[in-house]
Amino acid sequence: MKNVLFLIIAFVFITSCSTLSRKRDQPTPLNPLEAVQDSPKLVVGIVVDQMRYDYLSRFYHRYSEDGFKRLMKGGFQLTNNHYNFVPTYTAPGHASIYTGTSPMNHGIIGNNWYDKFEDKVIYNAGDDQVIGVGTTSDEGRMSPRRMLTTTITDQLELQTQGRAKVIGISIKDRGAILPAGHAADAAYWFEGSDQGNFISSSFYMDQLPQWVTDFNALKKAEEYLKTWNTLYPIETYTASGSDLNDFEKAPKGKQAAVFPYDLNKLKAENGNYSLIKATPYGNSIVADFAIEALKKEEMGKDSIADFLAVSFSSTDYIGHQYGVNSIEIEDTYLRLDQDIARFLKALDEEVGKGNYTVFLTADHGAVNNPAYLQSRNINAGYFDRSDFRNKLNNALIEKYGFDDLISNISNDQIFFNKVNLIKNTINPIDLEHFIASTIIDYTSIDKVYTRKALVSGAMQDGIGTLIQNGFHHKRSGDVIYVLEPAVISYSKTGSTHGSSQSYDTHVPLLFYGNGINQGSSSKRTEIIDIAPTISSLLKISFPNAATGNPISEVLIKS
């Protein structure tokens, strides 16, 4: 009898540790979401890192009917959706999608930024108060603590008294953590190098659920270290440039950035499992993991709405390395189309058609390679930050007699050394004016904004408004400069992003599923409108600093 009782207790214990579903074991009194029968059982947020809007149209004829086209044809498409702030980077993008507001409020002003109070550059999700779970490296020391406002996912947890299940998944830590928010059950990201595992942090849990440990034990990452060749005959990739060109960067150990790529052969010189991040298989392993989370955590199985936030980040790594016009990018999106198709199929099977809602967008776009644009007689160029710093230092020496007035220049922002300003009785407003009037004459600088101008009133021009929306009064710098269109501070190969130009701000926005109309609109929408729209669908409070508005034409009127 004792043996039987022991086995029963052991089984219950193991089952309780295998998932995050313990919250569902509690008595669950009726809550508002249970009373709304037409609400989705699961919301799925998909963010595709560095996805320009035109990737939907450029590759449309090659997409299957079950991936991007299913969302476009069966749901609602916003064709004029933009970021309403600068800088257009991964962390501010993800934070703004889920908070419904811009960096001026949520405080994520970059992927990294100079902290004037700590006098050092900090990482948006870095947190020394936590430790990694599933890893012993610093890659697990992450949390959303630096995000100052709530997310749509936080609001769902608050509305349901913590009974909703919220999980964030991505290759990148910030792509999982910021969407999942502060109150999430879990956020998982991929650790490359010699590990090839999905990990988390003690901010969320003390140990990985058993299903995550089991997934890692499958060594999926090992399976994806194979040859990457084009999905279809390479001559059919007519939406892209030639395979061999001067505008792409080959992986270490390969002379030219041309197909095929033998990943197993290249891994030793390219970070071992980290190499997967810069291939389409990084998206595939995220899809694998998201489907496993969907099944093992039984998401969308009851009347309390859950939220699964998935970010596909390999598109960004590939875009940076090979560029907007590369066959590598085209092939990546054709393969991502297949991954999205099988993810949607899993949602159909596990949650049921009509029981879930999906939105798909991007955290930013990307510029076409300036050297390539120059070869086509289009204005473009490169900005030398080191040369800029030297010129500015010389100007400060000539004006003030010394140059130690600047603490940091990063993210196109200039931070003053306030201690030295006080020591030398230099008025910061005067210094702002001097630097602004000086650097506006430098080659490739198009516009300059001072702290005084940004905090004293609303900007009148479009780019000024974007700068102001991305300016956090406490965290941002003292002078901000804007480069000319298609001018970047980057290598001569690949693509980058971060600007206020339309190639960086214009991104896809698709809604699909429960509560969503079919159709499309070319009316301008902004990225901060997504969270209020989903909040309206779920009939819950907006995130606490939301400044966006629900897109009413997307939602079926109840």
Side-chain angles (χ1 to χ4, degrees), residues 295 301 344-353:
K295 294 177 180 179
K301 292 292 189 182
L344 293 175
K345 182 180 179 182
L347 289 168
D348 292 341
E349 294 172 350
E350 297 298 320
V351 187
K353 291 183 178 180

Side-chain angles (χ1 to χ4, degrees), residues 186-204:
Y188 302 105
W189 53 97
F190 184 77
E191 182 180 18
S193 189
D194 297 327
Q195 303 304 310
N197 292 328
F198 280 90
I199 63 173
S200 190
S201 92
S202 60
F203 183 87
Y204 303 100

Side-chain angles (χ1 to χ4, degrees), residues 2 4 22 30 46 65 109 114-115 146 219 226 279 289 292 315 319 330 350 421 433 441-442 460 483 536:
K2 287 184 179 179
V4 173
R22 59 189 180 279
L30 186 68
I46 299 176
E65 294 296 322
I109 62 172
Y114 174 70
D115 188 314
R146 286 194 169 96
K219 299 296 182 184
K226 56 186 179 180
T279 76
F289 191 80
E292 194 72 0
T315 41
E330 181 173 353
E350 297 298 320
L421 263 64
H433 178 73
D441 294 330
Y442 291 179
Q460 299 302 311
L483 301 180
S536 297

Side-chain angles (χ1 to χ4, degrees), residues 327-380:
I327 291 177
E328 285 80 359
I329 271 290
E330 181 173 353
D331 192 68
T332 295
Y333 276 90
L334 298 184
R335 290 177 181 273
L336 177 59
D337 181 62
Q338 294 186 343
D339 286 326
I340 289 175
R342 65 187 178 91
F343 185 35
L344 293 175
K345 182 180 179 182
L347 289 168
D348 292 341
E349 294 172 350
E350 297 298 320
V351 187
K353 291 183 178 180
N355 289 330
Y356 62 87
T357 303
V358 176
F359 70 81
L360 183 149
T361 189
D363 55 351
H364 52 74
V367 65
N368 220 318
N369 179 276
Y372 168 73
L373 294 177
Q374 289 173 337
S375 74
R376 303 300 298 269
N377 297 319
I378 295 173
N379 289 335

Side-chain angles (χ1 to χ4, degrees), residues 83-352:
Y83 274 86
N84 69 324
F85 64 84
V86 180
T88 41
Y89 294 136
T90 296
H94 281 79
S96 298
I97 291 166
Y98 283 85
T99 63
T101 192
S102 49
M104 67 182 295
N105 292 317
H106 61 61
I108 303 298
I109 62 172
N111 292 334
N112 305 276
W113 66 85
Y114 174 70
D115 188 314
K116 65 187 77 174
F117 304 103
E118 297 185 37
D119 189 26
K120 67 179 183 179
V121 174
I122 60 174
Y123 180 63
N124 69 91
D127 188 349
D128 290 337
Q129 299 178 47
V130 301
I131 60 173
V133 175
T135 179
T136 57
S137 76
D138 287 344
E139 290 193 38
R141 307 192 72 177
M142 304 290 167
S143 85
R145 283 199 176 99
R146 286 194 169 96
M147 184 165 57
L148 302 176
T149 65
T150 64
T151 58
I152 176 65
T153 45
D154 287 332
Q155 295 301 147
L156 180 59
E157 289 278 29
L158 292 171
Q159 178 86 5
T160 62
Q161 301 300 312
R163 295 184 183 93
K165 190 172 290 187
V166 173
I167 298 175
I169 297 169
S170 180
I171 283 284
K172 294 181 179 179
D173 48 56
R174 57 188 180 271
I177 291 169
L178 299 175
H182 306 82
D185 298 279
Y188 302 105
W189 53 97
F190 184 77
E191 182 180 18
S193 189
D194 297 327
Q195 303 304 310
N197 292 328
F198 280 90
I199 63 173
S200 190
S201 92
S202 60
F203 183 87
Y204 303 100
M205 63 190 71
D206 297 324
Q207 63 182 24
L208 294 176
Q210 187 60 47
W211 71 264
V212 177
T213 301
D214 292 342
F215 182 92
N216 287 336
L218 294 174
K219 299 296 182 184
K220 284 276 188 179
E222 186 71 35
E223 296 177 19
Y224 285 124
L225 284 174
K226 56 186 179 180
T227 298
W228 173 23
N229 208 343
T230 52
L231 191 60
Y232 305 107
I234 197 166
E235 63 271 13
T236 65
Y237 286 70
T238 56
S240 304
S242 60
D243 191 28
L244 180 62
N245 59 71
D246 297 328
F247 314 115
E248 303 173 19
K249 181 181 179 180
K252 294 178 181 178
K254 189 171 172 64
Q255 289 187 338
V258 294
F259 285 98
Y261 295 88
D262 186 340
L263 304 184
N264 193 52
K265 182 179 178 181
L266 295 169
K267 67 180 181 181
E269 295 186 64
N270 294 275
N272 293 320
Y273 293 117
S274 295
L275 177 59
I276 295 173
K277 298 178 182 181
T279 76
Y281 305 129
N283 293 328
S284 297
I285 200 169
V286 165
D288 294 340
F289 191 80
I291 292 170
E292 194 72 0
L294 179 70
K295 294 177 180 179
K296 299 299 185 183
E297 294 294 346
E298 299 182 341
M299 303 191 78
K301 292 292 189 182
D302 61 19
S303 57
I304 302 174
D306 296 325
F307 206 118
L308 181 58
V310 181
S311 181
F312 292 105
S313 303
S314 290
T315 41
D316 184 67
Y317 291 104
I318 294 164
H320 277 294
Q321 185 163 349
Y322 301 101
V324 167
N325 200 46
S326 64
I327 291 177
E328 285 80 359
I329 271 290
E330 181 173 353
D331 192 68
T332 295
Y333 276 90
L334 298 184
R335 290 177 181 273
L336 177 59
D337 181 62
Q338 294 186 343
D339 286 326
I340 289 175
R342 65 187 178 91
F343 185 35
L344 293 175
K345 182 180 179 182
L347 289 168
D348 292 341
E349 294 172 350
E350 297 298 320
V351 187

